[in-house]
Amino acid sequence: MCGIIGYTGKKNATQVLVKGLSRLEYRGYDSAGVAVIRDQELVIRKKKGKLSVLRDDLKKDPIQGKTGIGHTRWATHGVPNDVNAHPHYDHKEKIAIVHNGIIENYLDLKKMLERKGYKFVSETDSEAIAHLISSNYKGDLRKAVQDSAKQMEGSYSIAAVHKGEPGRIVGMRNDSPLIIGIGEGENFIASDIPAVLDYTKKVVYLDNKEIVDLNEKTVLVYGPNGRKKKKKEVEIKWDISQAEKNGFRHFMLKEIFEQPEVIKNILEERIEKENVKFDELKITKNQLKKTKKIAIVACGTAYHAGLTAQYAIEEVAKVPVWVDTSSEFRYRDPLVDKETLVIVVSQSGETADTLAALREAREKGAKVLAICNVLGSSIAREADGVIYTHAGPEIAVASTKAYTAQLVVLYLFAYYLASARGSKKNSGFIKEIKSLPAAAKKLLDQYSSKRNKIAKYASEFHEYYLARNNKSCFLYLGRNVNYPNAIEGALKLKEISYISAEGYPAGEMKHGPIALIDENPWVVCIAVKGATYEKMLSNIQEIKARGGIIIAIATEGDAKLKKSKVEYVIETPRIKELFSPAIVVIPLQLLAYYVAAEFGYDIDQPRNLAKSVTVE
Ligand code: M6R
């Protein structure tokens, strides 16, 4: 999961590449590099560290040229250092490549190439691609890439240049994303749309095993057999400003504050009177009617959205649902068949495990519905039907607005499924769900100043943590529809503040985790009004009796909870319990954000992570 870009045109290629990489940095940020064709030379500059290190270096010693490729890395093979950073040369330094993915047979390729005299300098799998292309090169870069593809196993998107063919870039993909940006007198390839949006809104999505051959004037796409293919150009509707911070300190904070608008847009687009419509969905109502069971499969935050959807679908549409992480589902020989609907949920639409789970499910005859945010992504294209969340680009590694968008779409899908199966229209459902945007806005309005209550709690936690020699941690408890939010809150905190945090169903406390409670952990208790509210109050008493420090997420005006004397209370607007997860998660996101801010961490680009996990 790295970001790659290629540019050919009349502009200064280095500048275009570095700007494009800044839009792709969310995909990996442990090193970055560019290869630019300058006159008859092929110059590579690459640096360990964030893109800013490379940018500073290029400022001091610029490379002029009109064609080049660039890369931002998330290490798989070989530690992050200058040598392992991309681009990689072939041994004659005539070819340079950038790669996103994993070459599974690279050790075999390496042995074969070393026997032929090729010398490897890095520890990466990617370097084998450069030498392989070189070994197949007979004066035509596209043909050399095409022949090399036949010998490569694994997932990859690559871009290659040859100094003897200035102005030409060849790209290829297999299970890793690659798009083409069509400009005026210039063309681009990239891992994702934001990298080219400063220059063009016209894109072409490359399909698996396709090869693109471009120069500033022409873009040719070939199938694996070498035959030319006609591809459809797509006009991107959103703006690059949506991928900018717009005055917020971090993308994560901006994306948290976008949630009322995101929810509102989804509801406006999808609800017509008492009906829900999914115009792009190719799975028919008749097919949905025949569904006997549903499996929801996803990773990370998207998996948590799936766990919440289980409550909604079972309650509203009365179809049995089970939820699985993609990495487990794909290797378990899951019991799915043509009467099963498999719903895969993915913000990026490129998560390798989810994509593999989708394929596994389709092979077994199940219909697969994808809930995706990124248009034209691999998961969206390979599924039988897709519903887009239209949350706009999510740049911060920690997912926030994509999660609430997934929740809202899944609620609406539960309603849609119920009507497809002949249930009576429930106007209460539509009325209640429509109150979500106002509730989210009301909640966020309380936290728009820098010195808000949640920021204050975070600062107190920080002091407490330092005073106890970094010994404190977090436990998140929730029940019923808000149990998945307990794990989501814990995930948010650990991924950006590196503090140990565990999410648990509160009823399970007495079966083990209660042993953790003393004065050390801070316990976030989701205690909003609902079916298990009273039970949650009892759990709170059990924690208090053992000295735990509690942050309660409560329903506004809850006097009873205040009487239980918890240390901290965060109030949320009153909302029907089924829909409350979409509101309750917001203070959890803010808490994680402000704790990480107290520690001074890099919130948008936390260590060891990348936005989309396109490798296993
Ligand atoms: O793009 P996807 O929704 O498929 O990504 C799934 C997970 O990798 C993702 O949600 C991850 O857990 C986030 N960093 C959580 O904030």
Side-chain angles (χ1 to χ4, degrees):
M1 50 194 178
C2 306
I4 69 175
I5 179 158
Y7 171 77
T8 177
K10 296 203 166 43
K11 295 193 174 88
N12 178 329
T14 311
Q15 279 171 11
V16 177
L17 296 174
V18 171
K19 183 146 199 195
L21 290 179
S22 73
R23 308 279 187 207
L24 294 176
E25 225 188 345
Y26 72 88
R27 301 178 66 86
Y29 34 82
D30 58 41
S31 53
V34 293
V36 175
I37 302 181
R38 177 173 66 189
D39 303 323
Q40 297 303 307
E41 270 182 300
L42 177 57
V43 187
I44 287 186
R45 188 78 52 78
K46 48 188 190 172
K47 290 280 164 207
K48 175 186 168 186
K50 293 271 167 81
L51 181 63
S52 55
V53 181
L54 175 73
R55 193 187 279 122
D56 290 348
D57 188 81
L58 286 164
K59 252 186 214 148
K60 274 187 241 141
D61 182 10
I63 318 169
Q64 296 294 335
K66 307 284 179 211
T67 299
I69 54 178
H71 188 269
T72 177
R73 181 170 187 243
W74 183 84
T76 58
H77 294 63
V79 294
N81 62 24
D82 289 358
V83 178
N84 290 334
H86 297 215
H88 292 285
Y89 278 128
D90 73 312
H91 73 320
K92 291 182 194 149
E93 300 195 356
K94 287 185 174 176
I95 292 170
I97 66 100
V98 286
H99 167 224
N100 169 33
I102 290 182
I103 303 301
E104 281 161 9
N105 62 335
Y106 88 99
L107 285 174
D108 294 340
L109 291 175
K110 190 173 175 184
K111 249 191 239 154
M112 179 271 286
L113 290 158
E114 278 176 338
R115 274 200 300 271
K116 288 187 178 175
Y118 288 84
K119 294 235 161 6
F120 281 71
V121 292
S122 77
E123 304 157 287
T124 66
D125 54 334
S126 312
E127 191 186 350
I129 305 171
H131 298 310
L132 187 64
I133 295 174
S134 167
S135 75
N136 286 312
Y137 187 78
K138 295 180 191 80
D140 181 342
L141 186 59
R142 202 254 308 161
K143 285 218 174 79
V145 169
Q146 198 174 298
D147 291 341
S148 304
K150 292 178 193 141
Q151 294 165 273
M152 282 156 51
E153 287 166 21
S155 64
Y156 48 83
S157 55
I158 66 158
V161 287
H162 190 292
K163 74 173 185 179
E165 303 187 59
R168 187 181 200 190
I169 302 175
V170 177
M172 172 177 61
R173 69 158 284 186
N174 183 44
D175 284 349
S176 290
L178 196 61
I179 60 115
I180 308 163
I182 315 282
E184 298 285 329
E186 57 185 3
N187 288 308
F188 309 78
I189 50 175
S191 298
D192 196 3
I193 293 161
V196 304
L197 262 195
D198 286 289
Y199 310 98
T200 180
K201 287 193 160 196
K202 282 189 211 151
V203 306
V204 171
Y205 294 99
L206 217 58
D207 282 307
N208 259 351
K209 302 197 190 298
E210 285 179 345
I211 294 179
V212 56
D213 186 352
L214 46 95
N215 59 37
E216 62 176 34
K217 290 202 186 102
T218 57
V219 172
L220 300 172
V221 177
Y222 297 83
N225 49 10
R227 236 175 269 142
K228 262 193 214 147
K229 286 180 107 178
K230 256 198 136 111
K231 299 286 289 182
K232 206 171 104 204
E233 245 177 63
V234 179
E235 183 85 21
I236 299 301
K237 297 276 186 301
W238 51 276
D239 216 71
I240 194 64
S241 66
Q242 284 179 264
E244 277 164 358
K245 285 188 204 150
N246 295 338
F248 283 89
R249 246 180 94 199
H250 296 96
F251 279 110
M252 182 178 175
L253 194 60
K254 177 195 164 221
E255 287 157 7
I256 291 173
F257 274 85
E258 279 174 351
Q259 289 176 110
E261 200 57 26
V262 167
I263 302 173
K264 184 167 154 268
N265 291 344
I266 296 173
L267 297 177
E268 281 176 4
E269 182 193 357
R270 305 295 185 181
I271 298 176
E272 208 170 64
K273 293 194 183 135
E274 287 202 350
N275 294 317
V276 166
K277 55 185 172 94
F278 293 121
D279 292 340
E280 73 273 46
L281 181 63
K282 290 199 185 107
I283 301 174
T284 64
K285 286 199 168 172
N286 206 23
Q287 284 166 331
L288 291 177
K289 213 172 166 178
K290 291 185 192 140
T291 299
K292 292 254 163 53
K293 55 181 177 174
I294 293 177
I296 305 182
V297 185
C299 300
T301 288
Y303 166 71
H304 300 155
L307 287 174
T308 313
Q310 178 179 31
Y311 293 85
I313 295 173
E314 290 192 341
E315 182 180 322
V316 178
K318 308 284 180 228
V319 182
V321 178
W322 93 89
V323 191
D324 225 333
T325 52
S326 315
S327 49
E328 291 301 318
F329 178 91
R330 62 181 289 195
Y331 288 114
R332 216 192 44 230
D333 196 12
L335 295 178
V336 300
D337 53 27
K338 57 182 182 342
E339 292 180 324
T340 318
L341 176 70
V342 174
I343 305 179
V344 290
V345 188
S346 174
Q347 187 287 128
S348 63
E350 299 295 346
T351 300
D353 284 323
T354 308
L355 187 58
L358 173 158
R359 289 176 182 159
E360 170 83 18
R362 291 197 74 211
E363 225 159 79
K364 287 178 177 285
K367 281 260 168 282
V368 178
L369 163 64
I371 313 274
C372 281
N373 193 37
V374 176
L375 259 68
S377 53
S378 304
I379 290 175
R381 279 179 302 146
E382 289 196 28
D384 297 290
V386 59
I387 301 176
Y388 285 113
T389 49
H390 293 314
E394 190 180 66
I395 308 294
V397 165
S399 185
T400 54
K401 66 173 180 174
Y403 176 68
T404 41
Q406 285 157 357
L407 288 181
V408 174
V409 163
L410 284 159
Y411 287 138
L412 293 176
F413 180 73
Y415 184 88
Y416 183 87
L417 182 64
S419 25
R421 297 167 72 82
S423 301
K424 223 173 88 213
K425 295 250 156 31
N426 176 351
S427 52
F429 180 103
I430 298 291
K431 196 168 157 247
E432 284 286 346
I433 201 168
K434 278 187 173 172
S435 66
L436 278 175
K441 180 158 184 332
K442 184 175 172 195
L443 175 75
L444 279 164
D445 282 348
Q446 298 168 51
Y447 301 108
S448 52
S449 87
K450 269 190 198 149
R451 304 174 65 78
N452 66 68
K453 198 171 162 185
I454 299 182
K456 191 172 144 271
Y457 295 174
S459 157
E460 287 183 28
F461 171 77
H462 182 233
E463 276 171 31
Y464 189 84
Y465 185 84
L466 297 182
R468 303 187 70 81
N469 290 329
N470 307 350
K471 243 187 110 191
S472 190
C473 59
F474 265 91
L475 184 62
Y476 286 71
L477 300 174
R479 298 187 81 126
N480 201 14
V481 281
N482 273 301
Y483 150 59
N485 262 345
I487 352 180
E488 172 59 10
L491 173 66
K492 283 294 88 92
L493 187 86
K494 61 189 150 197
E495 74 179 324
I496 59 170
S497 68
Y498 321 135
I499 288 166
S500 172
E502 198 170 352
Y504 234 80
E508 279 286 297
M509 271 270 292
K510 53 192 173 295
H511 301 287
I514 201 160
L516 290 172
I517 308 287
D518 56 11
E519 67 285 4
N520 264 325
W522 283 37
V523 189
V524 178
C525 294
I526 305 173
V528 291
K529 287 283 172 64
T532 49
Y533 166 74
E534 297 289 344
K535 308 269 174 227
M536 196 68 212
L537 289 189
S538 307
N539 294 139
I540 285 177
Q541 288 315 317
E542 288 155 13
I543 299 159
K544 279 211 70 66
R546 287 159 180 85
I549 296 171
I550 293 178
I551 301 180
I553 312 290
T555 303
E556 61 191 358
D558 182 350
K560 201 165 169 188
L561 183 103
K562 275 190 193 139
K563 272 195 217 129
S564 67
K565 297 207 170 54
V566 295
E567 284 72 11
Y568 304 101
V569 180
I570 300 172
E571 290 191 328
T572 59
R574 189 174 288 270
I575 195 106
K576 184 180 162 69
E577 187 182 18
L578 182 65
F579 302 131
S580 64
I583 300 300
V584 163
V585 73
I586 297 174
L588 304 180
Q589 297 165 341
L590 286 169
L591 182 65
Y593 173 84
Y594 283 113
V595 170
E598 279 296 326
F599 282 83
Y601 291 134
D602 189 343
I603 293 179
D604 286 334
Q605 296 177 343
R607 72 183 181 206
N608 302 340
L609 294 174
K611 183 74 182 158
S612 50
V613 186
T614 57
V615 292
E616 260 200 85

